[in-house]
Amino acid sequence: MAHIISLINHKGGVGKTTSTAGIGAGLNLLKKRVLLIDVDPQANLTRHFGLPKNSDKSIYGALKGEYPLPVHEIKKGLDMVPSHTCLVGWEKEVSDEPGRESFLKAAIEPLASKYDYILIDCPPSLGYLPINALSASQSIIIVVEPSAFAIDGMGNIFNAVNKVQSRINKDLTGCKILITNFFSKKVLHQDVESTLRENYKNQVFKTVVRTNVALEEAVMTGVDVFTYDSSSNGAIDYKNVCSEIIKEKQWEKVLKAV
Ligand SMILES: Nc1ncnc2c1ncn2[C@@H]1O[C@H](COP(=O)(O)OP(=O)(O)O)[C@@H](O)[C@H]1O
Ligand SMILES: [Mg+2]
């Protein structure tokens, strides 16, 4: 059965989509069968891989139960479920529906045995779309950019995750923290990294993803960073993150906010 992992942070622009693409493509290079699911109405991951942002069949219709998850092949062993801009109204549409936190879990279930990893790219909120992602996942990767307020936001994320774990999804036990867009010469970045490592110990990936222009350029050309430039720092860093993911047998438990 697939290890289902949500990439989450209620802040935008911290590298969730870039990391979903980088880790997905990296795991695929390591011969794992990977499914990427875009549940962000902005559909950035969908467009990153050259799929139209408003396909006839998308995560939107699948969440409404109109059809099974529509899976597109990006390359052999790397599939994706595209998003749709209509998803922006989905949380309101289902606000009166019972079980609205578990629609994604139900949609994923028939596919889970076909993959080694399913990665869910979350929107920048803690609303019902990311709650659906958490309800379907065994693990999360909190993607953090080393900004001045990065540490403050961690408490909100852990609160949401712990509520989902205790009320909806007891299987949600794994948690790793990934530092992205890291520039080693910035003292602020060094400080944020040390604080995160002090607070969250082994939960923080040993690898930090450095600021690297190839990651931005890969998006513009519609391919993953390994295809774009396999010798770039971005490709090297995400490959190392993937090695850590594969080696990690026991993901650290989801912690209470520190
Ligand atoms: N390590 C990095 N180096 C350089 N640019 C990055 C890096 N990670 C992300 N970016 C850029 O930062 C912007 C926001 O990243 P994105 O992954 O879309 O964030 P999110 O999904 O959290 O909103 C994008 O333009 C992306 O190309
Ligand atoms: Mg995004």
Side-chain angles (χ1 to χ4, degrees), residues 20-29 32-36 49 71-81 115 117 119 224 226-227:
T20 310
I23 294 171
L27 288 171
N28 172 253
L29 274 183
K32 300 295 176 189
R33 296 164 303 165
V34 182
L35 175 66
L36 308 177
F49 286 109
V71 173
H72 294 250
E73 184 178 80
I74 296 168
K75 56 164 78 162
K76 196 169 179 300
L78 181 63
D79 292 343
M80 159 132 104
V81 175
Y115 297 97
Y117 291 92
L119 305 178
D224 64 77
F226 301 98
T227 309

Side-chain angles (χ1 to χ4, degrees), residues 4 18-19 35 40-41 47 59 62 83 85 90-91 94 98 104 110 134 147-148 155 189 193 198 202 212 231 239:
I4 306 175
T18 307
S19 298
L35 175 66
D40 186 347
R47 284 182 289 168
I59 186 72
S83 185
T85 48
W90 179 83
E91 290 183 352
V94 296
L104 183 60
L134 294 176
S147 72
H189 286 200
E193 183 191 10
E198 213 169 279
N202 293 338
N212 180 233
S231 62
K239 189 156 183 247

Side-chain angles (χ1 to χ4, degrees), residues 9 11-20 40 42 44 121-122 124 143 145 180-182 209-217 219 234 237-238:
N9 192 324
K11 293 181 185 177
V14 295
K16 292 182 292 297
T17 300
T18 307
S19 298
T20 310
D40 186 347
Q42 294 177 79
N44 290 347
D121 184 23
C122 289
V143 182
E145 204 184 38
T180 58
N181 225 334
F182 186 83
V209 179
R210 292 165 284 181
T211 301
N212 180 233
V213 72
L215 290 165
E216 292 176 275
E217 289 169 355
V219 179
D237 293 344
Y238 278 114

Side-chain angles (χ1 to χ4, degrees), residues 1-257:
M1 285 304 247
H3 185 171
I4 306 175
I5 307 174
S6 285
L7 286 90
I8 188 161
N9 192 324
H10 55 308
K11 293 181 185 177
V14 295
K16 292 182 292 297
T17 300
T18 307
S19 298
T20 310
I23 294 171
L27 288 171
N28 172 253
L29 274 183
L30 295 169
K31 306 272 180 267
K32 300 295 176 189
R33 296 164 303 165
V34 182
L35 175 66
L36 308 177
I37 305 181
D38 188 355
V39 299
D40 186 347
Q42 294 177 79
N44 290 347
L45 184 68
T46 303
R47 284 182 289 168
H48 183 144
F49 286 109
L51 293 179
K53 69 174 174 182
N54 287 329
S55 313
D56 289 347
K57 290 192 175 178
S58 69
I59 186 72
Y60 177 61
L63 283 177
K64 289 171 66 142
E66 290 171 0
Y67 40 75
L69 279 183
V71 173
H72 294 250
E73 184 178 80
I74 296 168
K75 56 164 78 162
K76 196 169 179 300
L78 181 63
D79 292 343
M80 159 132 104
V81 175
S83 185
H84 194 291
T85 48
C86 275
L87 204 53
V88 78
W90 179 83
E91 290 183 352
K92 275 205 181 121
E93 286 174 42
V94 296
S95 61
D96 290 332
E97 294 215 23
R100 62 190 185 275
E101 65 282 343
S102 304
F103 293 161
L104 183 60
K105 183 183 172 72
I108 289 176
E109 247 154 27
L111 290 177
S113 61
K114 290 188 181 168
Y115 297 97
D116 299 306
Y117 291 92
I118 297 179
L119 305 178
I120 308 174
D121 184 23
C122 289
S125 78
L126 291 172
Y128 265 95
L129 283 168
I131 299 284
N132 261 264
L134 294 176
S135 301
S137 298
Q138 292 116 36
S139 302
I140 56 169
I141 294 176
I142 303 175
V143 182
V144 182
E145 204 184 38
S147 72
F149 301 112
I151 313 271
D152 295 354
M154 299 295 283
N156 295 334
I157 300 169
F158 278 117
N159 280 337
V161 171
N162 281 308
K163 278 185 194 162
V164 171
Q165 189 194 34
S166 62
R167 296 177 192 169
I168 304 171
N169 177 13
K170 297 222 165 355
D171 295 336
L172 177 62
T173 52
C175 174
K176 298 288 284 183
I177 296 166
L178 178 62
I179 302 171
T180 58
N181 225 334
F182 186 83
F183 188 51
S184 62
K185 293 205 172 94
K186 282 191 182 167
V187 175
L188 171 70
H189 286 200
Q190 296 164 12
D191 288 350
V192 173
E193 183 191 10
S194 329
T195 308
L196 285 169
R197 291 197 189 282
E198 213 169 279
N199 288 352
Y200 299 106
K201 313 273 182 314
N202 293 338
Q203 281 188 292
V204 184
F205 279 103
K206 289 187 188 76
T207 308
V208 294
V209 179
R210 292 165 284 181
T211 301
N212 180 233
V213 72
L215 290 165
E216 292 176 275
E217 289 169 355
V219 179
M220 302 307 291
T221 50
V223 295
D224 64 77
V225 69
F226 301 98
T227 309
Y228 180 74
D229 181 357
S230 61
S231 62
S232 63
N233 284 346
I236 292 166
D237 293 344
Y238 278 114
K239 189 156 183 247
N240 288 335
V241 172
C242 290
S243 303
E244 285 193 55
I245 289 176
I246 286 174
K247 276 190 212 130
E248 187 91 65
K249 292 281 179 270
Q250 186 72 52
W251 283 50
E252 301 295 317
K253 292 250 179 296
V254 176
L255 284 176
K256 295 265 180 259

